[in-house]
Amino acid sequence: MVPALLVLVLLLVSWQVAVDGPLLELDHWARHAVRETRHALHSTLLNHLGKAFSDLGGGSVAVPVLLLGGAVAAGREFRAGFARWWLPVPVAVLTAGLIPLLVVPAKAWFARPGPFGLPLAADQWGWYPSGHTATATLGYGVAALLLTRTAAPRGRRALAAAATLLAVGVGLGLVWSDYHWLLDVVASWCLGGLVLWTLARWPLTGRPSARQRRPEH
């Protein structure tokens, strides 16, 4: 049900962006509402928070967290005696490489201008989907997913909550700061959610190796 909904929303939004459809009015409404709210509140703190969360979606922040999460997960699984304890490392590395492969071709194909409506420069790919949102969703999400394999139930919930907060915070920060359209962010949430849903159902860790299993009494 969840993956079907994510695919449906992603296809719908992508279609509307491609044909400049009526659903894009939602972007303009959201931008106007955010600008009015920002002007009414005139909060320097919120503006700084919006930019700070936006920056957390950069590759220079999220990707190192992803790679570190893979390394820590591998170390924890090694100590727990898993046969494929090393697998979180290549999973993290492949995820880091997958992010631009998912986002950059789509940006180039849709070539959507940003909220300010300026024509794309020669060195710009476009705004759809949001690269920062995809990087945050997959970077923090996969890191949390790898670490939950050896975490206690409370730790799993905390990791899932932290990854969700960061992904949502980055997306909302981008919209609040007028860096992205709302639907750019929604599409990347869907894209990242599909990858995470698939990865969560892939047996990454295997069972503890026979030599490290405790004998039964």
Side-chain angles (χ1 to χ4, degrees), residues 7-194:
V7 169
L8 180 62
V9 172
L10 181 60
L11 290 177
L12 174 63
V13 172
S14 298
W15 168 53
Q16 289 292 285
V17 171
V19 301
D20 196 22
L23 187 61
L24 300 190
E25 288 300 318
L26 178 62
D27 278 334
H28 295 284
W29 173 85
R31 185 179 186 231
H32 177 73
V34 168
R35 293 183 72 180
E36 290 292 317
T37 303
R38 198 168 56 232
H39 178 74
L41 295 177
H42 198 62
S43 172
T44 302
L45 175 61
L46 285 177
N47 293 337
H48 283 312
L49 281 175
K51 187 178 185 308
F53 268 104
S54 300
D55 290 341
L56 290 176
S60 60
V61 181
V63 171
V65 171
L66 168 61
L67 298 177
L68 178 62
V72 172
R76 290 168 62 93
E77 292 182 15
F78 175 75
R79 291 191 295 273
F82 285 100
R84 292 181 292 170
W85 58 268
W86 46 268
L87 198 53
V89 173
V91 168
V93 172
L94 289 174
T95 301
L98 177 65
I99 295 170
L101 292 178
L102 290 174
V103 173
V104 173
K107 283 179 173 287
W109 192 83
F110 286 100
R112 188 186 192 192
F116 290 101
L118 300 175
L120 295 179
D123 60 342
Q124 289 179 320
W125 292 315
W127 265 252
Y128 181 86
S130 166
H132 275 59
T133 306
T135 302
T137 304
L138 288 174
Y140 301 123
V142 172
L145 185 61
L146 293 173
L147 289 168
T148 57
R149 302 290 179 163
T150 54
R154 182 177 296 181
R156 293 172 192 166
R157 290 191 293 269
L159 286 166
T164 302
L165 175 63
L166 287 168
V168 172
V170 168
L172 295 182
L174 290 167
V175 175
W176 179 267
S177 302
D178 213 15
Y179 294 154
H180 263 288
W181 298 108
L182 175 62
L183 292 181
D184 301 345
V185 169
V186 170
S188 289
W189 280 335
C190 292
L191 191 62
L194 285 169

